[in-house]
Every structure is written in C-alpha cells, then in structure tokens.
Amino acid sequence: MTQADGMSRLAVATPRSGCPINLTAELLGDRWSLLVLRDLAFGGPRHYRELLAGSTESIATNILSGRLRKLTAAGMLTKRADPTHAQRFDYCLAEPAIDFLPVLVAISMWASRWLPVDPSTTAIAEALDDGGPELQARFMDELRSEHLGGHAPTDGALRLSLA
C-alpha cells in the first residue's frame, strides 16, 4: 500500500482497527521494539550480537531475534550483509524509523518529567529537545547518512557533539 506521496506504508499484521494509535501500538507497543529502535538510533547500525551485548535491559536472545524480524518485516529496519564477515548482518534504521526520532525524544522528555529516570540516560534526548525541530532534523539527516547510505551532513558530526 502506498500513500499519495508515493511512500510505502508500513506492514502491520492483522490490525484490530485502522485507528492511528492502535496501529502504532500494534507495531511498536511492546517494550523491546522501542528499545531496539533506541539502540539503533543512538548507537548506529549494529550486528545482532552487538545489540544483545549492549542491552542494558538484558533482552533475551529469542526476544531480540523476534523483534528484529518483526521490525524488518514491517519496514522499520533493514538488514544488510556485513562486508567484513560473510555470516553477519548489520541492522539499520529505515526511513520510517528515522522519521520516528522526534517521538523517541518526546517519550524521553515525558519520562524525564514523570518517571524516576536515570539522568545519565537522557543527555542526547535532552539536547535534541532543547535544540528543537532544527537540531532534530540535522540529527535525522545524520541517521540517514549512517543507516541509509545518504550524503553525510556538511557541518560536522552532530552525534559526537550530542554525546
């Protein structure tokens, strides 16, 4: 299915309704899907083992495999062969996942206000929130370059300056 602007819509298996909140919840409403997107957005393309080892929440191997498969099938992630190792793959954000970045920032900021978060985990989201839509757009351009192989931003590495 495509939108009027020619972009493909994401695949949601047997949705309960066409409500936008329901569809988003069905696609991303489990705890682990959002964390996989977080790790790829703020950590760059990763191999399966890097995602598993880097999970501070200790995701189980079968859960990680299932979420990667689900997000790839839906069109949120892509899987590409690692040129340095024949049996490894990099998982990268697809355009819909990159476009989701402002939502991740908004979730982080909401949680910072209402939940007992570890302040050391919110620095990038706070910087992106403080920088507003312009900074978020620059960061999304960097994600496109890194994950989609687009052109690198001309004004330097934003990711390093946010860390």
Side-chain angles (χ1 to χ4, degrees):
M1 176 188 291
T2 60
Q3 298 174 348
D5 60 10
M7 294 181 67
S8 296
R9 293 198 185 257
L10 298 174
V12 176
T14 61
R16 290 180 183 89
S17 77
C19 166
I21 294 172
N22 171 69
L23 290 167
T24 304
E26 288 194 34
L27 179 64
L28 302 173
D30 64 88
R31 169 183 181 196
W32 300 107
S33 293
L34 289 175
L35 297 179
V36 168
L37 293 177
R38 174 205 64 192
D39 290 348
L40 290 170
F42 300 119
R46 304 266 179 102
H47 306 300
Y48 171 85
R49 294 242 179 254
E50 291 171 327
L51 286 164
L52 188 63
S55 171
T56 57
E57 293 84 12
S58 301
I59 189 171
T61 57
N62 62 322
I63 300 295
L64 178 58
S65 295
R67 290 321 178 272
L68 290 171
R69 206 171 22 256
K70 174 185 172 184
L71 292 169
T72 301
M76 290 291 281
L77 302 180
T78 60
K79 181 179 172 181
R80 65 182 180 208
D82 179 345
T84 66
H85 193 286
Q87 295 177 334
R88 285 199 316 208
F89 296 89
D90 285 327
Y91 288 92
C92 299
L93 299 173
E95 181 61 34
I98 293 170
D99 195 44
F100 193 71
L101 177 79
V103 178
L104 289 176
V105 171
I107 290 170
S108 294
M109 298 316 299
W110 178 86
S112 292
R113 284 188 292 276
W114 296 101
L115 300 172
V117 302
D118 176 353
S120 69
T121 63
T122 61
I124 294 175
E126 285 177 5
L128 289 168
D129 186 60
D130 290 345
E134 182 179 307
L135 185 63
Q136 291 178 31
R138 286 182 51 220
F139 189 75
M140 291 164 62
D141 285 344
E142 186 175 294
L143 289 175
R144 286 183 187 93
S145 174
E146 190 173 13
H147 289 264
L148 303 176
H151 299 292
T154 57
D155 55 356
L158 179 60
R159 182 184 306 278
L160 296 177
S161 66
L162 291 175

